[in-house]
Amino acid sequence: MSERTLAIIKPDAVRKNAIGDIIARYDKAGLKPVAIRMMQFSKATAEGFYAVHKARPFFDSLCTFMVSGPVVVLVLQGDNAIKKNRELMGATDPAKAEAGTIRKVHGANIEFNAVHGSDSPETAKFEIGYFFAEMDVVG
């Protein structure tokens, strides 16, 4: 079943010039970018996007990290896109991620873990709408 998911190439991976490698991994897995934008999060953007984590102890450091440099925000489309992207990313903690996953290759630790991906259809719908109008998404 074709579906859409949101992916973010985080500031640490952008700084490492890993954008091309990460997008190539999406492409090789059959996940087609149907919207893409490079942007700099404001504090308000980061806090709104991660509002679901507001009560968690890592919320402030996560928001600070996400405003520390440019990110690439993408909408990926393909069969089982959410599950496929979660598998490509690997575990949240790169030390626990399987060999060859994006986080194992490009992540440094649980906080600087290179990428974000939606975890459910409901989350994907919210996250895609947070960054893209329907007319911005092709396909």
Side-chain angles (χ1 to χ4, degrees), residues 43-117:
K43 188 167 173 50
T45 299
E47 288 175 347
F49 183 73
Y50 288 110
V52 67
H53 299 303
K54 191 157 184 66
R56 310 285 278 286
F58 59 81
F59 178 76
D60 288 333
S61 64
L62 173 60
C63 291
T64 298
F65 165 57
M66 291 302 291
V67 303
S68 70
V71 299
V72 177
V73 183
L74 308 95
V75 177
L76 302 173
Q77 182 172 302
D79 290 340
N80 298 309
I82 295 167
K83 181 177 189 270
K84 197 176 285 185
N85 187 41
R86 303 289 298 174
E87 290 168 356
L88 283 173
M89 289 191 310
T92 304
D93 182 349
K96 297 177 181 171
E98 287 188 38
T101 59
I102 294 170
R103 288 178 169 155
K104 188 67 157 184
V105 173
H106 295 295
N109 57 51
I110 199 162
E111 189 169 4
F112 302 116
N113 63 7
V115 288
H116 165 88

